[in-house]
Amino acid sequence: PDNPTAQTEHHVYRFPSIEDKKGRLYPIFIPSLTLEDAYLPADIISKLDIIHSQHMFTAGRLARHVAREFNIPLVYTYHTLIAEYTHYAGYFSSIVRSYLKGMSRRFCNSCDQIITPSNPMKKILHKYGVRAPIEVIMTGIEPKNYEKVKGLDAHRLRKKYKIDPEAKICLYLSRIAKEKNIDFLFRSFAEIRKQYPKVHLLMVGGGPEEDWAKNRILDLGLGASITMTGMVPKNEANKIFGLADIFTFPSVTETQGIVIAEAMASGTPPVAVGKMGPLDLIHDGEDGFLTKLSISDFSEKVVKLLKDDKLRDIFAKEGMRRIEEFSNETSVKKLISLYERVIDLKKAEIRGTLEAEKKAL
């Protein structure tokens, strides 16, 4: 907006940012040089009960500065294992990785409370040396936005993405990027087709590896069996979750895997490598499969579900039964409860400091 401090009816203050016009990058907040230029009036800041930062760079630094200046408790959600993205740094990847781990440790330890979206993420932060309290709260979804797609809607989508009406559909819906382990999925799918030829892989999403992925598909001779859609609107992506028969997820760096919960809410059972976030979402052998980082194991579990309609239906129903665990409502209740505890602890800390100062006088 023209006025970055413009207040909406929901008491939201917009901060200026830099955005890639092609949409390849997230908007990057432009930091202020001083607290007075923080785009938020001091009288508003002083009334805040809690500050919750979603990352530790520009806006996160401002959040920490304001929290310290006004003695407000600071909560930080560690969403992404950024140290796992250092392959983009080329020859300097090991140095950057070490630096990012140290930065993560220092920033987290300067906060009053850390939130991670999964238990494996919590364990990794402990290994980094984070000593601040950590609580696991998953990022929620809205279950009512997902359902199984049938009839004319299913026919329309199959026609749009050139999928045989008789073919079973495996779905990948996420970024097309190196850290997502895409080549593992392609090689697994090549094995899956050998055992179950009537299958199609639908790749939904964009990212820096799109051109590589298209060439890799051709190299493996899978051009007729894989469709890459690029980015699609969210409302259509929700329908695609319900169109698929199996959700295939190869990533080993996922901090949660919201897309897995979205697939389960749509009645589409997942098969995922048993690393990181999927471990908290999938009950192996009950509502989906967790596999080894093995092409043979991954493809075997997918083929098992492709061949067994009854088992696939059992998994789908169990996943839909559990989906309230991952709902926005559940996550919000946990978050509010955590806020209340953190605020109370901060008040007790402030009282203790004041009492100590009085005694010292």
Side-chain angles (χ1 to χ4, degrees), residues 193-255:
R193 279 191 69 251
K194 291 177 183 177
Q195 301 176 57
Y196 196 95
K198 210 71 172 177
V199 63
H200 198 98
L201 176 60
L202 190 56
M203 301 284 294
V204 180
E209 298 293 320
E210 282 187 78
D211 289 341
W212 169 87
K214 290 173 183 177
N215 290 329
R216 183 62 171 150
I217 289 168
L218 296 176
D219 290 343
L220 293 170
L222 299 173
S225 301
I226 299 179
T227 298
M228 290 187 66
T229 70
M231 297 289 289
V232 301
K234 178 59 177 168
N235 62 339
E236 180 152 326
N238 288 354
K239 289 183 178 181
I240 292 173
F241 277 117
L243 174 71
D245 295 284
I246 300 172
F247 187 73
T248 48
F249 199 63
S251 176
V252 294
T253 62
E254 212 65 22
T255 56

Short mmCIF file of all heavy atoms in Angstrom, two decimals, residues 193-255:
data_model
loop_
_atom_site.label_atom_id
_atom_site.label_comp_id
_atom_site.label_asym_id
_atom_site.label_seq_id
_atom_site.Cartn_x
_atom_site.Cartn_y
_atom_site.Cartn_z
N ARG A 193 5.71 -48.19 -12.82
CA ARG A 193 5.08 -48.43 -14.13
C ARG A 193 5.37 -49.84 -14.66
O ARG A 193 4.55 -50.40 -15.37
CB ARG A 193 5.56 -47.39 -15.15
CG ARG A 193 4.81 -46.06 -15.03
CD ARG A 193 5.11 -45.16 -16.21
NE ARG A 193 4.53 -45.64 -17.45
CZ ARG A 193 5.19 -46.15 -18.47
NH1 ARG A 193 6.52 -46.28 -18.43
NH2 ARG A 193 4.57 -46.53 -19.57
N LYS A 194 6.53 -50.36 -14.31
CA LYS A 194 6.86 -51.72 -14.76
C LYS A 194 5.90 -52.74 -14.16
O LYS A 194 5.54 -53.73 -14.79
CB LYS A 194 8.30 -52.07 -14.37
CG LYS A 194 9.36 -51.28 -15.12
CD LYS A 194 10.75 -51.64 -14.61
CE LYS A 194 11.82 -50.80 -15.30
NZ LYS A 194 13.19 -51.08 -14.77
N GLN A 195 5.48 -52.48 -12.93
CA GLN A 195 4.60 -53.42 -12.22
C GLN A 195 3.12 -53.07 -12.38
O GLN A 195 2.26 -53.94 -12.22
CB GLN A 195 4.96 -53.43 -10.73
CG GLN A 195 6.40 -53.84 -10.45
CD GLN A 195 6.75 -53.76 -8.98
OE1 GLN A 195 6.10 -54.37 -8.14
NE2 GLN A 195 7.78 -52.99 -8.65
N TYR A 196 2.85 -51.80 -12.66
CA TYR A 196 1.46 -51.36 -12.79
C TYR A 196 1.41 -50.29 -13.89
O TYR A 196 1.45 -49.10 -13.63
CB TYR A 196 0.96 -50.78 -11.46
CG TYR A 196 -0.55 -50.67 -11.38
CD1 TYR A 196 -1.32 -51.67 -10.79
CD2 TYR A 196 -1.21 -49.55 -11.90
CE1 TYR A 196 -2.69 -51.57 -10.71
CE2 TYR A 196 -2.59 -49.44 -11.83
CZ TYR A 196 -3.32 -50.45 -11.23
OH TYR A 196 -4.69 -50.36 -11.16
N PRO A 197 1.35 -50.72 -15.16
CA PRO A 197 1.46 -49.80 -16.29
C PRO A 197 0.35 -48.74 -16.37
O PRO A 197 0.58 -47.64 -16.87
CB PRO A 197 1.40 -50.72 -17.51
CG PRO A 197 1.80 -52.07 -16.99
CD PRO A 197 1.28 -52.13 -15.59
N LYS A 198 -0.83 -49.06 -15.86
CA LYS A 198 -1.97 -48.15 -16.00
C LYS A 198 -1.96 -47.13 -14.86
O LYS A 198 -2.84 -47.06 -14.01
CB LYS A 198 -3.27 -48.95 -15.97
CG LYS A 198 -4.40 -48.32 -16.76
CD LYS A 198 -4.15 -48.41 -18.26
CE LYS A 198 -5.40 -47.96 -19.02
NZ LYS A 198 -5.18 -47.95 -20.47
N VAL A 199 -0.91 -46.30 -14.83
CA VAL A 199 -0.76 -45.30 -13.77
C VAL A 199 -0.20 -44.02 -14.37
O VAL A 199 0.55 -44.06 -15.35
CB VAL A 199 0.15 -45.83 -12.64
CG1 VAL A 199 1.57 -46.09 -13.16
CG2 VAL A 199 0.16 -44.89 -11.44
N HIS A 200 -0.57 -42.89 -13.78
CA HIS A 200 -0.12 -41.59 -14.26
C HIS A 200 0.36 -40.77 -13.06
O HIS A 200 -0.29 -40.78 -12.00
CB HIS A 200 -1.27 -40.86 -14.96
CG HIS A 200 -0.84 -39.72 -15.84
ND1 HIS A 200 -0.69 -39.84 -17.20
CD2 HIS A 200 -0.49 -38.44 -15.54
CE1 HIS A 200 -0.30 -38.69 -17.71
NE2 HIS A 200 -0.17 -37.82 -16.72
N LEU A 201 1.48 -40.09 -13.23
CA LEU A 201 2.01 -39.23 -12.17
C LEU A 201 1.70 -37.78 -12.52
O LEU A 201 2.10 -37.28 -13.56
CB LEU A 201 3.51 -39.42 -12.02
CG LEU A 201 4.22 -38.51 -11.00
CD1 LEU A 201 3.67 -38.72 -9.59
CD2 LEU A 201 5.73 -38.77 -11.02
N LEU A 202 0.98 -37.11 -11.62
CA LEU A 202 0.62 -35.71 -11.81
C LEU A 202 1.51 -34.87 -10.89
O LEU A 202 1.47 -35.00 -9.67
CB LEU A 202 -0.85 -35.50 -11.46
CG LEU A 202 -1.51 -34.17 -11.81
CD1 LEU A 202 -1.35 -33.85 -13.30
CD2 LEU A 202 -2.98 -34.18 -11.41
N MET A 203 2.34 -34.01 -11.50
CA MET A 203 3.28 -33.16 -10.76
C MET A 203 2.73 -31.74 -10.75
O MET A 203 2.71 -31.06 -11.78
CB MET A 203 4.65 -33.17 -11.44
CG MET A 203 5.30 -34.54 -11.56
SD MET A 203 5.99 -35.13 -10.00
CE MET A 203 7.31 -33.96 -9.71
N VAL A 204 2.27 -31.29 -9.58
CA VAL A 204 1.65 -29.97 -9.45
C VAL A 204 2.56 -29.05 -8.64
O VAL A 204 2.92 -29.37 -7.51
CB VAL A 204 0.28 -30.07 -8.76
CG1 VAL A 204 -0.35 -28.69 -8.63
CG2 VAL A 204 -0.64 -31.01 -9.54
N GLY A 205 2.92 -27.93 -9.22
CA GLY A 205 3.76 -26.97 -8.52
C GLY A 205 4.84 -26.41 -9.43
O GLY A 205 5.12 -26.94 -10.50
N GLY A 206 5.45 -25.32 -8.99
CA GLY A 206 6.54 -24.71 -9.73
C GLY A 206 7.78 -24.64 -8.87
O GLY A 206 7.76 -25.01 -7.70
N GLY A 207 8.86 -24.20 -9.46
CA GLY A 207 10.10 -24.10 -8.70
C GLY A 207 11.31 -24.01 -9.60
O GLY A 207 11.21 -24.10 -10.84
N PRO A 208 12.49 -23.90 -9.00
CA PRO A 208 13.72 -23.69 -9.78
C PRO A 208 14.17 -24.87 -10.62
O PRO A 208 15.00 -24.72 -11.51
CB PRO A 208 14.76 -23.37 -8.69
CG PRO A 208 14.22 -24.01 -7.45
CD PRO A 208 12.74 -23.88 -7.55
N GLU A 209 13.61 -26.07 -10.34
CA GLU A 209 14.05 -27.26 -11.07
C GLU A 209 13.05 -27.73 -12.12
O GLU A 209 13.13 -28.88 -12.58
CB GLU A 209 14.31 -28.40 -10.07
CG GLU A 209 15.42 -28.11 -9.05
CD GLU A 209 16.79 -28.03 -9.70
OE1 GLU A 209 17.07 -28.84 -10.60
OE2 GLU A 209 17.57 -27.14 -9.31
N GLU A 210 12.14 -26.87 -12.53
CA GLU A 210 11.12 -27.29 -13.50
C GLU A 210 11.73 -27.75 -14.82
O GLU A 210 11.35 -28.80 -15.36
CB GLU A 210 10.12 -26.15 -13.75
CG GLU A 210 9.09 -25.98 -12.67
CD GLU A 210 8.03 -24.95 -13.06
OE1 GLU A 210 7.13 -25.30 -13.85
OE2 GLU A 210 8.11 -23.81 -12.58
N ASP A 211 12.65 -26.96 -15.37
CA ASP A 211 13.25 -27.33 -16.65
C ASP A 211 14.04 -28.63 -16.52
O ASP A 211 13.97 -29.51 -17.40
CB ASP A 211 14.17 -26.21 -17.14
CG ASP A 211 13.40 -24.98 -17.59
OD1 ASP A 211 12.19 -25.11 -17.87
OD2 ASP A 211 14.00 -23.88 -17.64
N TRP A 212 14.80 -28.76 -15.42
CA TRP A 212 15.53 -30.01 -15.20
C TRP A 212 14.56 -31.18 -15.14
O TRP A 212 14.81 -32.25 -15.73
CB TRP A 212 16.32 -29.93 -13.88
CG TRP A 212 16.87 -31.26 -13.48
CD1 TRP A 212 18.05 -31.82 -13.85
CD2 TRP A 212 16.21 -32.23 -12.65
NE1 TRP A 212 18.18 -33.08 -13.32
CE2 TRP A 212 17.06 -33.36 -12.58
CE3 TRP A 212 14.99 -32.27 -11.97
CZ2 TRP A 212 16.72 -34.51 -11.84
CZ3 TRP A 212 14.65 -33.41 -11.25
CH2 TRP A 212 15.51 -34.51 -11.19
N ALA A 213 13.44 -31.01 -14.42
CA ALA A 213 12.47 -32.10 -14.25
C ALA A 213 11.89 -32.53 -15.59
O ALA A 213 11.75 -33.74 -15.86
CB ALA A 213 11.36 -31.66 -13.30
N LYS A 214 11.57 -31.58 -16.43
CA LYS A 214 11.01 -31.92 -17.75
C LYS A 214 12.00 -32.73 -18.57
O LYS A 214 11.63 -33.70 -19.24
CB LYS A 214 10.62 -30.63 -18.49
CG LYS A 214 9.42 -29.92 -17.88
CD LYS A 214 9.18 -28.57 -18.54
CE LYS A 214 8.03 -27.83 -17.87
NZ LYS A 214 7.82 -26.48 -18.44
N ASN A 215 13.27 -32.34 -18.54
CA ASN A 215 14.30 -33.08 -19.28
C ASN A 215 14.52 -34.46 -18.68
O ASN A 215 14.73 -35.44 -19.42
CB ASN A 215 15.61 -32.29 -19.28
CG ASN A 215 15.53 -31.03 -20.13
OD1 ASN A 215 14.80 -30.99 -21.12
ND2 ASN A 215 16.26 -29.99 -19.74
N ARG A 216 14.48 -34.54 -17.35
CA ARG A 216 14.70 -35.83 -16.68
C ARG A 216 13.57 -36.81 -17.01
O ARG A 216 13.82 -38.00 -17.20
CB ARG A 216 14.77 -35.60 -15.16
CG ARG A 216 15.07 -36.86 -14.35
CD ARG A 216 16.40 -37.45 -14.70
NE ARG A 216 16.78 -38.51 -13.78
CZ ARG A 216 17.53 -39.56 -14.12
NH1 ARG A 216 18.00 -39.68 -15.36
NH2 ARG A 216 17.84 -40.47 -13.22
N ILE A 217 12.36 -36.31 -17.11
CA ILE A 217 11.22 -37.15 -17.48
C ILE A 217 11.42 -37.75 -18.86
O ILE A 217 11.18 -38.94 -19.10
CB ILE A 217 9.91 -36.32 -17.43
CG1 ILE A 217 9.53 -36.01 -15.98
CG2 ILE A 217 8.76 -37.07 -18.12
CD1 ILE A 217 8.44 -34.97 -15.85
N LEU A 218 11.91 -36.94 -19.79
CA LEU A 218 12.18 -37.42 -21.15
C LEU A 218 13.31 -38.43 -21.16
O LEU A 218 13.25 -39.45 -21.86
CB LEU A 218 12.49 -36.24 -22.07
CG LEU A 218 11.35 -35.23 -22.30
CD1 LEU A 218 11.83 -34.07 -23.15
CD2 LEU A 218 10.14 -35.92 -22.94
N ASP A 219 14.37 -38.16 -20.37
CA ASP A 219 15.51 -39.08 -20.29
C ASP A 219 15.09 -40.47 -19.82
O ASP A 219 15.63 -41.49 -20.27
CB ASP A 219 16.57 -38.53 -19.33
CG ASP A 219 17.28 -37.30 -19.87
OD1 ASP A 219 17.20 -37.08 -21.10
OD2 ASP A 219 17.91 -36.58 -19.08
N LEU A 220 14.11 -40.51 -18.90
CA LEU A 220 13.65 -41.78 -18.35
C LEU A 220 12.55 -42.42 -19.19
O LEU A 220 12.05 -43.50 -18.86
CB LEU A 220 13.14 -41.57 -16.91
CG LEU A 220 14.19 -41.20 -15.87
CD1 LEU A 220 13.53 -40.78 -14.56
CD2 LEU A 220 15.15 -42.36 -15.62
N GLY A 221 12.16 -41.77 -20.27
CA GLY A 221 11.13 -42.31 -21.15
C GLY A 221 9.75 -42.30 -20.53
O GLY A 221 8.92 -43.18 -20.83
N LEU A 222 9.48 -41.32 -19.68
CA LEU A 222 8.22 -41.29 -18.95
C LEU A 222 7.29 -40.16 -19.41
O LEU A 222 6.29 -39.86 -18.76
CB LEU A 222 8.50 -41.11 -17.44
CG LEU A 222 9.33 -42.20 -16.77
CD1 LEU A 222 9.68 -41.80 -15.35
CD2 LEU A 222 8.57 -43.52 -16.78
N GLY A 223 7.61 -39.57 -20.56
CA GLY A 223 6.87 -38.41 -21.03
C GLY A 223 5.37 -38.61 -21.14
O GLY A 223 4.60 -37.69 -20.86
N ALA A 224 4.93 -39.81 -21.54
CA ALA A 224 3.50 -40.06 -21.73
C ALA A 224 2.78 -40.34 -20.43
O ALA A 224 1.54 -40.33 -20.38
CB ALA A 224 3.31 -41.23 -22.69
N SER A 225 3.53 -40.58 -19.36
CA SER A 225 2.93 -41.01 -18.10
C SER A 225 3.04 -39.98 -16.98
O SER A 225 2.59 -40.24 -15.87
CB SER A 225 3.58 -42.32 -17.63
OG SER A 225 3.42 -43.33 -18.58
N ILE A 226 3.65 -38.84 -17.27
CA ILE A 226 3.80 -37.79 -16.25
C ILE A 226 3.34 -36.46 -16.82
O ILE A 226 3.73 -36.08 -17.92
CB ILE A 226 5.27 -37.66 -15.77
CG1 ILE A 226 5.75 -38.97 -15.14
CG2 ILE A 226 5.39 -36.52 -14.76
CD1 ILE A 226 7.21 -38.92 -14.67
N THR A 227 2.52 -35.76 -16.07
CA THR A 227 2.08 -34.42 -16.45
C THR A 227 2.60 -33.43 -15.42
O THR A 227 2.40 -33.61 -14.22
CB THR A 227 0.54 -34.32 -16.48
OG1 THR A 227 0.04 -35.22 -17.47
CG2 THR A 227 0.11 -32.90 -16.82
N MET A 228 3.27 -32.39 -15.90
CA MET A 228 3.69 -31.29 -15.04
C MET A 228 2.77 -30.11 -15.30
O MET A 228 2.67 -29.63 -16.43
CB MET A 228 5.14 -30.92 -15.31
CG MET A 228 6.13 -31.97 -14.85
SD MET A 228 7.85 -31.40 -14.98
CE MET A 228 7.85 -30.07 -13.76
N THR A 229 2.10 -29.63 -14.25
CA THR A 229 1.11 -28.58 -14.43
C THR A 229 1.67 -27.18 -14.21
O THR A 229 1.06 -26.20 -14.63
CB THR A 229 -0.04 -28.76 -13.44
OG1 THR A 229 0.43 -28.49 -12.11
CG2 THR A 229 -0.61 -30.16 -13.49
N GLY A 230 2.82 -27.07 -13.54
CA GLY A 230 3.27 -25.76 -13.09
C GLY A 230 2.40 -25.31 -11.93
O GLY A 230 1.65 -26.10 -11.35
N MET A 231 2.47 -24.03 -11.59
CA MET A 231 1.66 -23.49 -10.49
C MET A 231 0.18 -23.49 -10.89
O MET A 231 -0.17 -23.17 -12.03
CB MET A 231 2.10 -22.08 -10.16
CG MET A 231 3.53 -21.97 -9.65
SD MET A 231 3.73 -22.64 -7.99
CE MET A 231 2.86 -21.40 -7.03
N VAL A 232 -0.68 -23.84 -9.94
CA VAL A 232 -2.12 -23.79 -10.18
C VAL A 232 -2.77 -23.02 -9.02
O VAL A 232 -2.22 -22.98 -7.91
CB VAL A 232 -2.75 -25.19 -10.29
CG1 VAL A 232 -2.12 -25.98 -11.43
CG2 VAL A 232 -2.62 -25.96 -8.98
N PRO A 233 -3.92 -22.42 -9.23
CA PRO A 233 -4.61 -21.71 -8.14
C PRO A 233 -4.92 -22.66 -6.99
O PRO A 233 -5.15 -23.86 -7.20
CB PRO A 233 -5.89 -21.20 -8.80
CG PRO A 233 -5.60 -21.19 -10.26
CD PRO A 233 -4.64 -22.32 -10.50
N LYS A 234 -4.96 -22.14 -5.77
CA LYS A 234 -5.16 -22.96 -4.59
C LYS A 234 -6.47 -23.74 -4.62
O LYS A 234 -6.52 -24.91 -4.24
CB LYS A 234 -5.12 -22.06 -3.34
CG LYS A 234 -5.35 -22.79 -2.02
CD LYS A 234 -4.34 -23.88 -1.77
CE LYS A 234 -4.57 -24.53 -0.41
NZ LYS A 234 -3.78 -25.78 -0.24
N ASN A 235 -7.55 -23.11 -5.11
CA ASN A 235 -8.84 -23.81 -5.13
C ASN A 235 -8.80 -25.02 -6.06
O ASN A 235 -9.42 -26.05 -5.78
CB ASN A 235 -9.98 -22.86 -5.51
CG ASN A 235 -9.81 -22.26 -6.90
OD1 ASN A 235 -8.70 -22.21 -7.44
ND2 ASN A 235 -10.89 -21.78 -7.48
N GLU A 236 -8.04 -24.92 -7.16
CA GLU A 236 -7.91 -26.08 -8.05
C GLU A 236 -6.97 -27.12 -7.46
O GLU A 236 -7.20 -28.32 -7.59
CB GLU A 236 -7.43 -25.66 -9.44
CG GLU A 236 -7.29 -26.83 -10.40
CD GLU A 236 -7.47 -26.46 -11.86
OE1 GLU A 236 -8.28 -25.58 -12.15
OE2 GLU A 236 -6.80 -27.09 -12.69
N ALA A 237 -5.92 -26.66 -6.79
CA ALA A 237 -5.01 -27.60 -6.13
C ALA A 237 -5.76 -28.44 -5.11
O ALA A 237 -5.52 -29.65 -4.99
CB ALA A 237 -3.88 -26.84 -5.45
N ASN A 238 -6.68 -27.83 -4.38
CA ASN A 238 -7.47 -28.58 -3.39
C ASN A 238 -8.28 -29.68 -4.06
O ASN A 238 -8.42 -30.78 -3.50
CB ASN A 238 -8.41 -27.63 -2.64
CG ASN A 238 -7.67 -26.72 -1.68
OD1 ASN A 238 -6.48 -26.85 -1.48
ND2 ASN A 238 -8.39 -25.78 -1.09
N LYS A 239 -8.82 -29.40 -5.25
CA LYS A 239 -9.58 -30.41 -5.98
C LYS A 239 -8.67 -31.53 -6.48
O LYS A 239 -9.05 -32.71 -6.48
CB LYS A 239 -10.33 -29.77 -7.14
CG LYS A 239 -11.49 -28.89 -6.71
CD LYS A 239 -12.24 -28.34 -7.91
CE LYS A 239 -13.43 -27.48 -7.45
NZ LYS A 239 -14.19 -26.94 -8.59
N ILE A 240 -7.47 -31.16 -6.90
CA ILE A 240 -6.54 -32.16 -7.42
C ILE A 240 -6.16 -33.16 -6.33
O ILE A 240 -5.98 -34.36 -6.60
CB ILE A 240 -5.30 -31.48 -8.03
CG1 ILE A 240 -5.68 -30.71 -9.30
CG2 ILE A 240 -4.22 -32.50 -8.35
CD1 ILE A 240 -4.58 -29.87 -9.89
N PHE A 241 -6.04 -32.68 -5.08
CA PHE A 241 -5.79 -33.61 -3.97
C PHE A 241 -6.85 -34.71 -3.96
O PHE A 241 -6.54 -35.88 -3.72
CB PHE A 241 -5.85 -32.87 -2.63
CG PHE A 241 -4.58 -32.17 -2.23
CD1 PHE A 241 -4.54 -30.80 -2.08
CD2 PHE A 241 -3.43 -32.90 -1.97
CE1 PHE A 241 -3.37 -30.15 -1.70
CE2 PHE A 241 -2.25 -32.27 -1.59
CZ PHE A 241 -2.23 -30.89 -1.46
N GLY A 242 -8.11 -34.33 -4.19
CA GLY A 242 -9.21 -35.29 -4.15
C GLY A 242 -9.38 -36.10 -5.41
O GLY A 242 -10.14 -37.06 -5.44
N LEU A 243 -8.69 -35.71 -6.47
CA LEU A 243 -8.73 -36.45 -7.73
C LEU A 243 -7.82 -37.67 -7.69
O LEU A 243 -8.13 -38.72 -8.26
CB LEU A 243 -8.30 -35.53 -8.88
CG LEU A 243 -8.14 -36.16 -10.26
CD1 LEU A 243 -9.51 -36.53 -10.83
CD2 LEU A 243 -7.42 -35.21 -11.21
N ALA A 244 -6.70 -37.55 -6.98
CA ALA A 244 -5.66 -38.59 -7.00
C ALA A 244 -6.07 -39.84 -6.23
O ALA A 244 -6.94 -39.81 -5.36
CB ALA A 244 -4.37 -38.02 -6.43
N ASP A 245 -5.40 -40.93 -6.56
CA ASP A 245 -5.60 -42.19 -5.83
C ASP A 245 -4.57 -42.35 -4.71
O ASP A 245 -4.89 -42.89 -3.65
CB ASP A 245 -5.48 -43.37 -6.81
CG ASP A 245 -6.58 -43.36 -7.85
OD1 ASP A 245 -7.72 -43.72 -7.51
OD2 ASP A 245 -6.30 -42.96 -9.00
N ILE A 246 -3.35 -41.86 -4.96
CA ILE A 246 -2.27 -41.96 -3.97
C ILE A 246 -1.46 -40.68 -4.00
O ILE A 246 -1.17 -40.13 -5.08
CB ILE A 246 -1.33 -43.15 -4.27
CG1 ILE A 246 -2.11 -44.47 -4.25
CG2 ILE A 246 -0.18 -43.22 -3.25
CD1 ILE A 246 -1.29 -45.66 -4.73
N PHE A 247 -1.09 -40.19 -2.83
CA PHE A 247 -0.21 -39.03 -2.74
C PHE A 247 1.21 -39.53 -2.49
O PHE A 247 1.47 -40.19 -1.48
CB PHE A 247 -0.65 -38.09 -1.62
CG PHE A 247 0.12 -36.80 -1.59
CD1 PHE A 247 -0.10 -35.83 -2.55
CD2 PHE A 247 1.08 -36.57 -0.62
CE1 PHE A 247 0.62 -34.63 -2.54
CE2 PHE A 247 1.80 -35.39 -0.60
CZ PHE A 247 1.58 -34.42 -1.56
N THR A 248 2.12 -39.22 -3.40
CA THR A 248 3.49 -39.71 -3.31
C THR A 248 4.42 -38.57 -2.92
O THR A 248 4.47 -37.55 -3.60
CB THR A 248 3.94 -40.31 -4.66
OG1 THR A 248 3.61 -39.41 -5.72
CG2 THR A 248 3.24 -41.64 -4.90
N PHE A 249 5.15 -38.77 -1.82
CA PHE A 249 5.94 -37.67 -1.27
C PHE A 249 7.35 -38.15 -0.94
O PHE A 249 7.56 -38.88 0.05
CB PHE A 249 5.25 -37.11 -0.04
CG PHE A 249 5.72 -35.73 0.34
CD1 PHE A 249 5.51 -34.67 -0.52
CD2 PHE A 249 6.35 -35.49 1.54
CE1 PHE A 249 5.92 -33.38 -0.19
CE2 PHE A 249 6.77 -34.21 1.88
CZ PHE A 249 6.55 -33.16 1.02
N PRO A 250 8.35 -37.75 -1.73
CA PRO A 250 9.71 -38.27 -1.57
C PRO A 250 10.63 -37.45 -0.68
O PRO A 250 11.74 -37.87 -0.37
CB PRO A 250 10.24 -38.25 -3.00
CG PRO A 250 9.59 -37.02 -3.59
CD PRO A 250 8.22 -36.95 -2.97
N SER A 251 10.22 -36.24 -0.26
CA SER A 251 11.12 -35.32 0.44
C SER A 251 11.62 -35.91 1.77
O SER A 251 10.89 -36.58 2.49
CB SER A 251 10.39 -34.01 0.73
OG SER A 251 11.21 -33.15 1.49
N VAL A 252 12.90 -35.61 2.06
CA VAL A 252 13.49 -36.07 3.34
C VAL A 252 13.88 -34.87 4.21
O VAL A 252 14.53 -35.04 5.24
CB VAL A 252 14.72 -36.98 3.10
CG1 VAL A 252 14.31 -38.26 2.43
CG2 VAL A 252 15.79 -36.25 2.29
N THR A 253 13.47 -33.66 3.80
CA THR A 253 13.82 -32.46 4.58
C THR A 253 12.58 -31.70 5.04
O THR A 253 12.68 -30.59 5.54
CB THR A 253 14.69 -31.50 3.74
OG1 THR A 253 13.94 -31.06 2.60
CG2 THR A 253 15.98 -32.17 3.29
N GLU A 254 11.42 -32.32 4.89
CA GLU A 254 10.17 -31.62 5.18
C GLU A 254 9.98 -31.44 6.68
O GLU A 254 9.99 -32.42 7.44
CB GLU A 254 8.99 -32.40 4.61
CG GLU A 254 7.85 -31.55 4.16
CD GLU A 254 8.21 -30.65 2.98
OE1 GLU A 254 9.17 -30.95 2.25
OE2 GLU A 254 7.51 -29.64 2.80
N THR A 255 9.78 -30.20 7.11
CA THR A 255 9.61 -29.96 8.55
C THR A 255 8.24 -30.38 9.05
O THR A 255 8.06 -30.67 10.22
CB THR A 255 9.83 -28.47 8.87
OG1 THR A 255 8.93 -27.69 8.08
CG2 THR A 255 11.25 -28.06 8.58
#
